[in-house]
Amino acid sequence: MSHNSEFAIGIDIGGTHISGAIVNQKGIIKPKKTIRFIKPPDGKQGLRLIKQLIKGLVRLSSRSIGQLKSVAGIGIACPGSVDFDKGIVLADSPNLVGWKGTNLKKPLEGTFRLPVFIDNDANLAAWGEKTFGAGKNTKNLICLTLGTGIGGGIIINNEIYRGSHFYAGEIGHIKVLPDGPLCSCRQRGCLESLASASAIIRNYKFFTSSQWAGINSAKTVFDKARRGDKTAKEIIKRANYYLGIAIASLINIFDPQMVILCGGLAQSGNILIKKVNQIVRQNIMPHHLREPHILSGKLGPDAGLLGASALVLKNYQ
Amino acid sequence: MSHNSEFAIGIDIGGTHISGAIVNQKGIIKPKKTIRFIKPPDGKQGLRLIKQLIKGLVRLSSRSIGQLKSVAGIGIACPGSVDFDKGIVLADSPNLVGWKGTNLKKPLEGTFRLPVFIDNDANLAAWGEKTFGAGKNTKNLICLTLGTGIGGGIIINNEIYRGSHFYAGEIGHIKVLPDGPLCSCRQRGCLESLASASAIIRNYKFFTSSQWAGINSAKTVFDKARRGDKTAKEIIKRANYYLGIAIASLINIFDPQMVILCGGLAQSGNILIKKVNQIVRQNIMPHHLREPHILSGKLGPDAGLLGASALVLKNYQ
C-alpha cells in the first residue's frame, strides 16, 4: 500500500440506495455511482451490491485516476451500530433489516486487496463535515443527522467517539418528553419520536385525520406550513422545540465548539436553524450564551460518503 | 521537582467547609484537616483559607512524610467551572459566590513552589473514583455527584473531558421535563430541579404545606419514606424516575462502561441504586441491556479530594 495514495473509495448505504464515489484528498468527488432499490437488500445481498458498485467505480475512473494502486482504501458508511475494529454490523436499523452480524470488512478486503473501514453513517457524516465541510478546524463537535430517524456523531479531541461497545452517539434517543410517543427503539419520548421526519409526517396525519394519504414526506408538511397551514406550523414548531431542548442538553453536557445539523430535514434551511438556535439560547446554561454555534452541514447527502473517504485518507496520510 | 514524589496535597472546596489531605499513590489519606465556616468565603478569603489549610497539613505531616520535597504538588477540587489551564474559577456556583475570576493557581504556586492543578469538583470526583474507587480500570465512565445540586464528570479514553471552554459535564442541566420547575441555572426542567436534594426538600415542603419547617435535609425525607410516609415515597419515586431517564439518555449518548453515583444522595445506598437501575433498563436502547453498570461511588465525601490528589500524582508519575 502506497502512502502517497491520493484517492479513497467512499460508500454510503441507505434505505433506498447505495452510493459510492472516488474521492480525493480535498474531498472532491471524481465519479459517483448509485444503485437504487425498491426492496432494501439484506446484508448478504448488500455486500454483493457494494462489490458491484466498487467494480463499476473502478472501471469508470480508470481513465481519471489510473490504476487501483492510487486508491488508499475503501470507507463505508452504514446505518446502525458497527464494530469498527472488526467491520461487523452490530444491529439492524429500521430501514435496513438483515444486516446484523454481517462482516463487511473481511470479504471486501479479500476481493479488492485494499484496507476497508466501516463505521456508523452519522459518525461518518460528522467526520465528513469536520474534514471537508462546516466543521473544519473544529476539535469537538456534535453532528445530528435529521431524516427518517435521527442519528448522531460525536467528535472529541479530533477523533470520532465510538463509546465502549460502539454504541455511542444515539442522539436520536435522548429522552426529551417522559412518557412521550413510542419510538422506533421501542422506548418512549426519544427525540426521534418527536422531531424526525417520520414523527412530523405521523403527527400531521394524526391531527388532520388519515384522509391526507398524500403526505408521505416531511417536505410536504414544511411546504404546507410555509403556505400558512396552522396544523403544519404547530407540528413543525413542536419538532423544533424538542430538537432545541435536546441540543441544549448536548451543549450543557459536551461544551462543543459547534453543533452541525445534517440530513434531509436540515436541508429545509435557515428557517429551521434560526428557530432551533433561538430555543437553544433560551435553554442552555447562561455561560454558554457566548457561542452556541449551530450550523447546517455543507456536504448535503454526500456527508457520509465523504466522511467514509476521509477516514481512509486520514489513516494513510 | 522530584519525579519520585510519593505524595500530593488534595483540597476540596465546599459550601460549608474546605477539606485538605495529604494523599499517597495508593489513595491513602495520611493527615486530613477541615476548616468549617458558617458564611462561605469569597474567592480572596477562600484563597487565604486554602493557604492556611495547606500550611497546617504540612506541619501536621512533617513527621509522617518528612519534608515538603516529597510532595509532588497541590490539587484543588472547586465547585463551578474552572479554566484548568490557567487555574482560574470561571463561574460562581449557587453555594459559593464571589469566586468568579479568582486565580488559585498562580498565588499558590508562588507561595508553596509546587505545581498546582485546579478542576471542577465533579470532574475530580469522577477522577478519584476512576483512580482509587469504583471506576478502576475503566476507560469511559460518567460520574454524577448527587447533592444540593447535581454535577457531572466525564472520563473519555482515560482522560477527564473538560469540553471546549471548560464547561462540559453539566449533567445536572440535562433537560428531562420540558417546561418543568425553575432550576438554579435559571432555566426550566433540568435534572437538578427535579432530582437533587434541594428539589426533594422543596417538593416535600410544597406538598405538605410549609408547616414542615423541620425538613432541611433530603435525608429526613428519605427517612420519612422508609417509615411509610406516602408523600415522601412519591417524591423520591419521581426524583429517581427523572434520574433514571437522564442516565438512560447519557448511556445512549456515551455508551460508557460505567455510571457512578457519588455525593450525599448516593449514600442513601442500595435502594436508590436498585430503583434507578430498573428505570434505566426500561429506558435505554435495547442493545445496551447487556450491561448498564450503575454503581455507588466508593470514596464517599473524599472523592473530590482524592481525585485532586490523583490528578497531581498522574502528572508526576
Side-chain angles (χ1 to χ4, degrees):
Chain A
M1 178 52 42
S2 156
H3 278 234
N4 299 317
S5 302
E6 279 173 78
F7 299 93
I9 293 174
I11 306 283
D12 188 33
I13 306 171
T16 58
H17 60 275
I18 299 180
S19 293
I22 298 194
V23 176
N24 75 4
Q25 302 263 6
K26 290 182 177 165
I28 294 166
I29 291 173
K30 294 283 182 172
K32 184 175 166 183
K33 225 173 133 58
T34 296
I35 297 178
R36 295 185 188 280
F37 34 76
I38 309 285
K39 189 180 170 290
D42 64 16
K44 211 174 155 186
Q45 294 160 340
L47 185 60
R48 216 176 304 134
L49 291 179
I50 293 168
K51 282 188 187 174
Q52 184 188 323
L53 188 65
I54 294 172
K55 284 178 186 163
L57 278 169
V58 171
R59 262 198 308 277
L60 259 179
S61 64
S62 58
R63 240 189 345 178
S64 53
I65 68 161
Q67 297 305 308
L68 201 59
K69 70 181 174 194
S70 56
V71 172
I74 299 164
I76 301 178
C78 182
S81 304
V82 175
D83 182 325
F84 177 73
D85 296 335
K86 294 185 184 151
I88 295 174
V89 181
L90 289 175
D92 282 345
S93 52
N95 299 324
L96 222 52
V97 177
W99 287 68
K100 186 177 170 180
T102 305
N103 190 329
L104 293 174
K105 188 182 175 76
K106 222 172 159 184
L108 290 174
E109 288 190 338
T111 304
F112 296 103
R113 309 266 155 209
L114 285 170
V116 175
F117 301 92
I118 298 125
D119 205 344
N120 168 267
D121 52 4
N123 286 356
L124 291 180
W127 192 248
E129 290 290 348
K130 176 180 160 48
T131 313
F132 301 124
K136 273 188 197 174
N137 306 316
T138 308
K139 213 173 129 187
N140 304 309
L141 72 86
I142 310 245
C143 179
L144 277 76
T145 56
L146 307 172
T148 312
I150 295 183
I154 299 168
I155 309 287
I156 286 181
N157 289 331
N158 295 316
E159 298 281 348
I160 296 172
Y161 176 69
R162 299 186 176 92
S164 308
H165 321 83
F166 305 104
Y167 291 139
E170 291 291 0
I171 289 171
H173 303 279
I174 296 180
K175 311 285 163 190
V176 286
L177 185 64
D179 298 316
L182 195 65
C183 184
S184 67
C185 74
R186 287 178 278 162
Q187 310 297 359
R188 287 193 173 273
C190 299
L191 176 63
E192 181 166 304
S193 74
L194 290 153
S196 64
S198 33
I200 288 171
I201 297 166
R202 188 194 57 224
N203 284 340
Y204 192 81
K205 284 186 176 172
F206 180 80
F207 285 110
T208 55
S209 91
S210 56
Q211 58 183 300
W212 297 96
I215 305 293
N216 49 23
S217 89
K219 194 181 167 300
T220 327
V221 184
F222 274 96
D223 288 345
K224 282 186 182 288
R226 244 173 246 119
R227 275 186 255 113
D229 179 315
K230 277 187 186 163
T231 310
K233 277 167 93 170
E234 184 60 28
I235 283 165
I236 287 165
K237 194 178 150 193
R238 284 199 207 177
N240 284 347
Y241 174 72
Y242 289 114
L243 185 59
I245 288 285
I247 294 175
S249 289
L250 287 169
I251 292 178
N252 286 343
I253 297 169
F254 280 101
D255 180 22
Q257 285 156 286
M258 195 179 274
V259 176
I260 300 176
L261 305 184
C262 298
L265 279 189
Q267 283 157 41
S268 46
N270 287 328
I271 303 160
L272 175 76
I273 294 286
K274 208 173 146 189
K275 293 277 179 210
V276 171
N277 236 308
Q278 229 168 31
I279 297 155
V280 172
R281 273 178 195 279
Q282 284 159 5
N283 283 284
I284 49 173
M285 290 187 77
H287 53 238
H288 289 295
L289 281 176
R290 281 187 275 160
E291 46 166 328
H293 285 314
I294 302 163
L295 306 167
S296 282
K298 281 188 181 167
L299 307 179
D302 289 330
L305 186 153
L306 285 167
S309 306
L311 199 64
V312 172
L313 296 168
K314 181 194 176 225
N315 280 286
Y316 286 89
Q317 258 159 14
Chain B
M1 178 52 43
S2 154
H3 279 234
N4 299 318
S5 303
E6 277 174 79
F7 299 93
I9 294 174
I11 305 284
D12 188 34
I13 306 171
T16 58
H17 60 277
I18 299 180
S19 293
I22 298 195
V23 176
N24 74 6
Q25 302 265 7
K26 289 181 178 165
I28 293 164
I29 291 173
K30 294 284 181 168
K32 183 176 167 183
K33 225 173 133 57
T34 296
I35 297 178
R36 293 183 190 281
F37 34 76
I38 310 286
K39 188 179 170 293
D42 64 14
K44 212 173 154 187
Q45 294 160 342
L47 185 59
R48 216 177 303 134
L49 291 179
I50 293 169
K51 282 187 186 175
Q52 185 187 320
L53 188 66
I54 294 173
K55 283 176 187 165
L57 278 170
V58 171
R59 262 197 309 277
L60 258 179
S61 63
S62 58
R63 240 184 350 172
S64 54
I65 68 160
Q67 299 304 309
L68 200 60
K69 71 180 175 195
S70 57
V71 173
I74 299 164
I76 301 179
C78 182
S81 304
V82 176
D83 181 325
F84 177 74
D85 296 335
K86 295 185 184 151
I88 296 174
V89 181
L90 290 175
D92 282 346
S93 52
N95 299 323
L96 222 53
V97 177
W99 287 68
K100 187 177 168 177
T102 305
N103 190 327
L104 293 173
K105 188 182 176 78
K106 222 173 162 184
L108 290 173
E109 288 190 338
T111 303
F112 296 104
R113 310 263 155 212
L114 284 171
V116 176
F117 301 91
I118 297 126
D119 204 346
N120 168 267
D121 52 4
N123 286 355
L124 291 180
W127 192 248
E129 290 291 348
K130 176 180 161 47
T131 313
F132 301 124
K136 273 187 198 174
N137 307 318
T138 307
K139 212 173 130 188
N140 303 310
L141 72 86
I142 310 246
C143 179
L144 277 76
T145 57
L146 307 172
T148 313
I150 294 183
I154 300 168
I155 310 286
I156 286 181
N157 289 331
N158 294 314
E159 299 280 348
I160 297 172
Y161 175 69
R162 298 186 176 92
S164 309
H165 321 83
F166 304 105
Y167 291 138
E170 291 291 0
I171 289 172
H173 303 279
I174 296 180
K175 312 286 161 190
V176 286
L177 185 63
D179 298 315
L182 195 64
C183 184
S184 68
C185 74
R186 288 178 277 161
Q187 310 298 0
R188 286 192 174 276
C190 300
L191 176 63
E192 180 167 304
S193 74
L194 289 153
S196 64
S198 34
I200 288 171
I201 297 165
R202 189 194 57 226
N203 284 340
Y204 192 80
K205 284 185 176 172
F206 180 81
F207 284 109
T208 56
S209 88
S210 56
Q211 59 183 299
W212 297 96
I215 306 293
N216 49 23
S217 88
K219 193 181 167 300
T220 327
V221 184
F222 273 95
D223 288 345
K224 281 187 181 288
R226 244 173 247 120
R227 277 186 254 113
D229 180 315
K230 277 189 185 162
T231 310
K233 278 168 91 170
E234 183 60 28
I235 283 166
I236 287 165
K237 193 178 150 192
R238 284 198 206 177
N240 284 347
Y241 173 72
Y242 289 115
L243 185 58
I245 288 284
I247 295 175
S249 289
L250 287 169
I251 292 177
N252 286 344
I253 296 169
F254 280 101
D255 180 24
Q257 284 157 289
M258 195 178 275
V259 177
I260 300 177
L261 305 184
C262 296
L265 279 188
Q267 283 156 43
S268 46
N270 285 328
I271 303 158
L272 175 75
I273 294 286
K274 207 173 145 189
K275 292 278 179 210
V276 170
N277 236 309
Q278 229 167 31
I279 297 156
V280 172
R281 275 178 194 278
Q282 283 159 6
N283 282 283
I284 51 173
M285 290 186 77
H287 54 237
H288 289 295
L289 280 175
R290 281 187 274 160
E291 44 167 329
H293 285 312
I294 301 163
L295 306 167
S296 282
K298 280 188 180 166
L299 307 179
D302 289 329
L305 187 152
L306 286 167
S309 307
L311 198 63
V312 172
L313 296 168
K314 182 194 175 227
N315 280 284
Y316 288 88
Q317 258 161 15

